[in-house]
């Protein structure tokens, strides 16, 4: 640290490029500082540093993968809070004096911001090196790098609330126990009694508070009790495998319940309100997506006999319609291993969901290429073991094929399965089932190496832009409709994973599911760092996406080439 201080004092007042001299590793009495990347300009992306502290991991931190993730998440939050409280002020322009960590949100994700091993903890930070114009402020930088940043990290790792950390770890144990219960007992989702599902607003993921909040209460017929570690058994609603409808009037909480379930693929922090809302980890939200590109996807289970003989077994489009995009989204999700589909009619193509008896009489089947989802959803479950949770407000034609029907009335759920079946038996829709007695096949596609051209000008450019956009060379991957991405750090990780795929796995012989499997085995063996171009240094702003979201990005790459 003394050497670093001397260097910074020496380059004080020189041009900003002189900061390049400080890259390297510096040992102090309490920690080691690694300066991995030095920004070239006070307005450029911040410099990247790591603060490594030697200490033995305490008992219980690393005993299971989910406990390690929870412990790292806890300390990332503690460091972020320490930065906020320290409110470091350093004079200069641009990003001068910035100290930041990739702070978690409401979900607990595997991240690279903090890494805990049995021997120590490493915290990855971004810092803005101080400048006056484009001149080095060396004395200010010495305080920032040798005092402020290490001091914040050391305090966060030494003076933390042990009770809160223990609660964080125990909650992870409980969430894992619920996931195991769902798998073993044949359920696709669980919503605990007392859960708070609505959020503050459309732009805030925090729980809604106030007297008007209606805590969730399970219908008695769907209520189960789950034994959990560290606490008494937990009661709540379990959604069984099969076809489940969520019905009710507008603004009564249908979509709010579905949104909570779709976010239930991730664990949540204590106090989120949804910490005991757990869903099948492979569950995929499906919607229509006008304008997306599609590459050789077999949508024939839903769409056949298009005009001009257009192929639907290897369907390709640069500008898909609502129905063809929804069909492709389902088939791609199945290819990526989804065992549960989550669908809201509000974001679906009407002609994909239902074709009523009057329309069947007017437009003969031989003139209609679409087999509606209502005629395939039962077969999908019976022949492929895939469940569906479907929000409906306008069509009762699904009643006769549903296993479970849940009605929301002023945010309170009721099991109305028997009533729905009685109505289905009494009121004949007079529509005829279409599409035959088989759902059809789910095929895996092979990506060709030429799919990945990241060239932009004279260099390769792959960059995540916020939550829902990745620039890949001259192409843009639009992830707006991939609703289960929850953190821009996941999007950055996907950008890295695409580069990793291009360099290692897209060999013209490996299928999309196999590519995903190989990538996640690599991450399991070497950590999420392994997909980063900064491996061994500072990949401190990545969070792990699911394989389903990685597949979604691959499928939306407009330069994608598929074999066959």
């Amino acid at each position: 640290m003394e050497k670093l201080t001397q260097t910074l004092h020496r380059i004080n007042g020189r041009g900003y490029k002189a900061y390049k001299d400080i890259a390297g590793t510096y040992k102090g009495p309490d920690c080691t500082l690694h300066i991995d990347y030095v920004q070239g300009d006070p307005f450029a992306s911040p410099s990247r540093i790591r603060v490594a502290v030697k200490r033995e991991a305490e008992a219980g931190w690393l005993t299971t993968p989910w406990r390690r993730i929870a412990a790292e998440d806890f300390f990332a939050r503690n460091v972020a809070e320490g930065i906020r409280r320290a409110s470091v002020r350093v004079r200069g322009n641009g990003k001068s004096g910035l100290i930041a960590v990739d702070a978690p949100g409401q979900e607990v994700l595997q991240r690279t911001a903090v890494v805990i091993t049995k021997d120590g903890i490493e915290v990855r930070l971004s810092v803005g090196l101080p400048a006056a114009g484009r001149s080095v402020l060396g004395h200010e930088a010495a305080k920032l790098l040798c005092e402020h940043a290490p001091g914040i990290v050391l305090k966060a790792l030494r003076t933390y609330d042990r009770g809160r950390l223990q609660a964080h770890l125990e909650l992870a144990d409980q969430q894992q126990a619920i996931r195991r219960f769902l798998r073993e007992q044949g359920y696709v989702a669980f919503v605990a009694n007392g859960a708070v599902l609505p959020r503050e607003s459309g732009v805030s993921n925090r729980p809604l508070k106030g007297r008007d909040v209606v805590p969730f209460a399970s219908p008695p017929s769907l209520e189960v009790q789950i034994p959990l570690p560290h606490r008494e058994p937990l009661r709540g609603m379990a959604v069984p495998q099969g076809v489940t409808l969520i019905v009710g009037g507008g603004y009564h909480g249908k979509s709010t319940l579905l949104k909570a379930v779709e976010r239930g693929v991730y664990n949540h922090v204590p106090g989120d309100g949804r910490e005991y809302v757990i869903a099948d980890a492979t569950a995929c939200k499906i919607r229509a997506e006008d304008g997306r590109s599609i590459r050789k996807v077999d949508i024939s289970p839903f769409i056949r006999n298009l005009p001009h003989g257009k192929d639907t077994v290897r369907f390709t489009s640069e500008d898909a319609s609502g129905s063809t995009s929804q069909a492709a989204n389902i088939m791609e999700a199945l290819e990526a291993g989804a065992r549960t589909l989550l669908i809201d009619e509000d974001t679906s193509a009407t002609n994909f969901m239902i074709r009523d008896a009057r329309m069947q009489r007017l437009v003969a089947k031989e003139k209609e290429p679409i087999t509606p989802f209502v005629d395939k959803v039962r077969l999908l479950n019976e022949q492929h073991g895939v469940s569906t949770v479907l929000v409906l407000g306008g069509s009762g034609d699904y009643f006769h094929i549903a296993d479970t029907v849940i009605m929301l009335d002023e945010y309170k759920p009721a099991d109305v399965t028997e009533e729905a079946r009685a109505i289905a038996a009494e009121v004949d829709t007079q529509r005829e089932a279409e599409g035959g007695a088989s759902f059809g096949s789910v095929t895996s596609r092979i990506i060709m190496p030429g799919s990945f051209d990241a060239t932009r000008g004279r260099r390769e450019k792959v960059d995540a832009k916020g939550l829902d956009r990745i620039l890949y060379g001259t192409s843009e991957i639009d992830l707006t409709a991939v609703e289960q991405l929850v953190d821009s750090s996941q999007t950055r990780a996907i950008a890295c994973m695409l580069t990793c795929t291009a360099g290692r796995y897209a060999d013209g012989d490996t299928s999309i599911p196999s590519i995903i499997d190989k990538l996640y085995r690599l991450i399991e063996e070497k950590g999420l760092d392994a997909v980063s171009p900064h491996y061994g240094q500072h990949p401190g702003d990545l969070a792990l996406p699911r394989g389903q979201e990685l597949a979604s990005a691959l499928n939306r790459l407009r330069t994608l080439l598929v074999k066959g």
Side-chain angles (χ1 to χ4, degrees):
M1 289 294 191
E2 290 178 6
K3 179 183 176 183
L4 174 59
T5 301
Q6 291 168 3
T7 302
L8 288 167
H9 288 174
R10 174 175 56 80
I11 65 174
N12 184 56
R14 291 172 55 180
Y16 202 85
K17 297 289 186 185
Y19 269 131
K20 296 292 183 181
D21 291 354
I22 67 172
T25 296
Y26 304 89
K27 291 186 178 180
D30 300 307
C31 65
T32 299
L33 175 66
H34 305 276
I35 301 177
D36 294 318
Y37 164 77
V38 178
Q39 64 201 92
D41 182 275
F43 296 91
S45 297
S47 302
R48 294 169 176 256
I49 69 171
R50 291 174 288 143
V51 180
V53 179
K54 277 199 170 185
R55 62 165 294 174
E56 287 189 13
E58 295 190 15
W61 289 7
L62 306 177
T63 51
T64 63
W66 57 88
R67 276 193 160 231
R68 177 182 56 77
I69 291 169
E72 292 173 345
D73 175 273
F74 176 86
F75 282 110
R77 294 174 193 275
N78 222 38
V79 171
E81 179 62 17
I83 293 171
R84 188 188 68 79
R85 288 182 176 177
S87 187
V88 174
R89 299 182 184 277
V90 174
R91 68 187 178 94
N93 56 324
K95 293 184 170 64
S96 293
L98 168 75
I99 301 177
V101 69
D102 186 33
Q106 297 299 102
E107 291 81 15
V108 178
L109 306 174
Q110 181 176 342
R111 291 180 178 272
T112 57
V114 174
V115 175
I116 301 177
T117 66
K118 59 183 176 59
D119 298 320
I121 303 179
E122 184 175 277
V123 178
R124 285 87 177 264
L125 301 173
S126 297
V127 297
L129 298 178
R134 298 189 182 276
S135 298
V136 168
L137 288 177
H139 301 301
E140 298 282 348
K143 291 180 182 178
L144 182 70
L145 292 172
C146 302
E147 298 177 22
H148 295 315
I152 290 170
V153 170
L154 288 168
K155 185 175 180 180
L157 300 186
R158 289 172 175 172
T159 59
Y160 58 89
D161 187 326
R162 293 180 178 274
R164 284 181 55 210
L165 173 56
Q166 188 61 26
H168 219 63
L169 298 173
E170 290 181 357
L171 178 59
D173 289 340
Q174 293 159 7
Q175 291 162 335
Q176 186 67 20
I178 296 171
R179 294 187 187 282
R180 184 169 56 249
F181 178 90
L182 297 182
R183 289 194 302 269
E184 293 173 352
Q185 301 299 321
Y187 296 108
V188 299
F190 174 79
V191 185
N193 291 341
V196 176
L197 307 186
R199 303 291 93 185
E200 277 184 341
S201 68
V203 295
S204 172
N205 200 22
R206 296 181 180 276
L208 183 66
K209 296 180 180 178
R211 291 181 299 175
D212 294 335
V213 173
V214 179
F216 189 85
S218 174
S221 57
L222 296 176
E223 189 173 74
V224 298
Q225 178 172 286
I226 304 179
L228 296 182
H230 317 300
R231 59 158 291 165
E232 70 280 358
L234 183 65
R235 302 189 71 86
M237 182 180 76
V239 180
Q241 293 174 355
V243 180
T244 298
L245 309 183
I246 301 174
V247 303
Y251 304 98
H252 280 255
K254 303 186 303 296
S255 295
T256 299
L257 175 57
L258 188 72
K259 176 67 72 174
V261 170
E262 75 181 58
R263 293 293 179 95
V265 299
Y266 304 113
N267 289 347
H268 289 76
V269 293
D272 174 77
R274 301 168 299 178
E275 56 264 57
Y276 294 118
V277 179
I278 303 294
D280 167 18
T282 71
C284 272
K285 177 70 181 298
I286 303 294
R287 58 173 295 160
E289 192 178 350
D290 288 16
R292 65 154 292 197
S293 64
I294 298 171
R295 288 291 179 272
K296 295 186 179 179
V297 178
D298 184 358
I299 61 171
S300 63
F302 298 106
I303 301 175
R304 292 176 177 268
N305 304 321
L306 285 173
H308 310 297
K310 188 171 177 64
D311 185 7
T312 63
V313 174
R314 289 173 292 278
F315 181 77
T316 296
S317 174
E318 290 295 337
D319 186 18
S321 67
S323 56
T324 54
S325 65
Q326 191 158 358
N329 285 344
I330 288 175
M331 300 309 295
E332 289 167 354
L334 299 179
E335 179 186 27
R339 308 298 298 169
T340 304
L341 305 181
L342 310 174
I343 301 177
D344 191 329
E345 69 173 358
D346 283 352
T347 54
S348 296
T350 302
N351 61 338
F352 179 79
M353 298 301 292
I354 186 67
R355 198 162 88 96
D356 66 20
R358 291 183 179 90
M359 191 60 71
Q360 284 183 326
R361 290 186 63 180
L362 181 64
V363 180
K365 178 56 185 171
E366 57 267 24
K367 298 296 184 181
E368 174 52 76
I370 302 172
T371 297
F373 191 63
V374 68
D375 293 321
K376 289 291 189 174
V377 62
R378 180 86 259 151
L379 297 171
L380 179 59
N381 179 242
E382 293 173 351
Q383 297 174 10
H384 293 279
V386 176
S387 299
T388 300
V389 180
L390 178 61
V391 166
L392 289 171
S395 175
D397 287 334
Y398 280 80
F399 287 178
H400 73 285
I401 50 87
D403 297 298
T404 308
V405 183
I406 302 166
M407 184 167 73
L408 271 295
D409 183 4
E410 295 184 353
Y411 318 111
K412 297 176 182 178
D415 181 357
V416 294
T417 305
E418 294 306 318
E419 293 95 318
R421 286 174 179 164
I423 292 169
E426 179 183 344
V427 181
D428 185 2
T429 66
Q430 298 184 345
R431 72 175 303 278
E432 296 183 6
E434 301 175 351
S438 171
F439 175 82
S441 60
V442 177
T443 58
S444 294
R445 294 164 297 150
I446 293 173
I447 295 177
M448 301 301 291
S451 301
F452 301 94
D453 182 6
T455 305
R456 192 180 185 91
R458 295 184 177 181
R459 52 184 292 195
E460 290 193 348
K461 182 71 171 178
V462 181
D463 193 16
K465 298 293 184 181
L467 179 66
D468 51 24
R469 200 158 61 99
I470 295 174
L471 298 181
Y472 196 93
T474 57
S475 298
E476 180 177 306
I477 302 174
D478 184 359
L479 300 173
T480 307
V482 183
E483 297 184 27
Q484 287 166 291
L485 271 178
V486 297
D487 194 302
S488 57
S489 298
Q490 291 178 299
T491 311
R492 281 191 290 271
I494 289 174
C496 292
M497 294 166 99
L498 292 177
T499 301
C500 200
T501 296
R504 299 190 190 191
Y505 304 124
D507 55 8
D509 293 311
T510 307
S511 67
I512 290 177
S514 294
I515 287 173
I516 293 171
D517 184 58
K518 289 181 178 181
L519 263 171
Y520 281 78
R521 282 208 306 268
L522 174 69
I523 292 167
E524 188 176 340
E525 292 169 5
K526 297 187 177 181
L528 185 53
D529 288 11
V531 303
S532 171
H534 305 293
Y535 183 55
Q537 294 188 339
H538 184 312
D541 54 1
L542 306 181
L544 185 67
R546 300 185 305 156
Q548 284 73 24
E549 280 68 57
L550 172 60
S552 295
L554 281 167
N555 284 312
R556 285 159 180 75
L557 180 63
R558 289 188 176 272
T559 56
L560 185 70
L561 299 173
V562 174
K563 190 174 185 177

